[in-house]
């Protein structure tokens, strides 16, 4: 077998693998981006909406001078966000429903994610 034949065989095998793996990557879901701000001890907006059965990427900006902890038992998430910083919280695809969250350092700061 010549080098050209070997190259063609490798190229054909690569093309067949790409075709076989193609449908798997098509089914991967793109995360829905959601923006949330924490300022003056409150979430803004305090009510969020998101589509059902789709993963979420929640970008949380803490504008306050002290740390806060985003917590949600129903979302199964907790994340400390330092003062004057931002964090990204990745959430699995969710069924329709209402998912409440709060600042564990300030339980008066509450919000909800409505998934439809």
């Amino acid at each position: 077998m010549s080098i050209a034949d070997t190259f063609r065989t490798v190229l054909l095998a690569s093309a067949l693998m790409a075709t076989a793996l193609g449908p798997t990557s098509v089914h991967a879901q793109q995360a829905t981006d959601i923006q949330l701000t924490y300022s003056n001890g409150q979430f803004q907006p305090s009510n969020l909406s998101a589509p059902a059965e789709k993963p979420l990427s929640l970008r949380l900006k803490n504008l306050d001078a002290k740390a806060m902890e985003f917590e949600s038992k129903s979302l199964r998430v907790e994340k400390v966000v330092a003062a004057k910083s931002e964090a990204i919280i990745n959430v699995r695809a969710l069924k329709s429903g209402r998912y409440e969250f709060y600042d564990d350092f300030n339980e008066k700061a509450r919000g909800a994610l409505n998934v439809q």
Side-chain angles (χ1 to χ4, degrees):
M1 184 183 268
S2 70
I3 293 176
D5 290 335
T6 302
F7 180 73
R8 278 189 218 110
T9 302
V10 169
L11 190 59
L12 178 61
S14 297
L16 289 172
M17 284 178 55
T19 301
L21 294 176
T24 305
S25 62
V26 169
H27 294 292
Q29 290 185 325
Q30 181 81 17
T32 298
D33 290 325
I34 297 176
Q35 304 287 322
L36 182 62
T37 302
Y38 187 80
S39 178
N40 298 317
Q42 297 297 316
F43 291 104
Q44 298 167 3
S46 60
N47 285 299
L48 303 168
S49 295
E53 306 299 333
K54 219 174 161 193
L56 307 173
S57 180
L58 181 64
R59 183 177 303 271
L60 175 56
K61 289 185 181 182
N62 180 4
L63 302 178
D64 278 0
K66 52 186 193 175
M68 57 85 58
E69 182 176 0
F70 181 90
E71 183 150 353
S72 174
K73 292 181 184 6
S74 58
L75 291 172
R76 291 186 258 159
V77 171
E78 65 180 302
K79 177 107 176 170
V80 173
V81 183
K84 305 286 184 190
S85 70
E86 112 178 29
I88 296 176
I89 302 166
N90 294 309
V91 179
R92 71 199 181 287
L94 300 167
K95 296 184 187 281
S96 292
R98 180 178 166 88
Y99 299 84
E100 295 185 357
F101 55 87
Y102 59 96
D103 173 7
D104 199 28
F105 301 154
N106 170 18
E107 291 192 26
K108 291 180 182 176
R110 296 191 164 271
L113 173 65
N114 296 298
V115 177
Q116 304 163 353

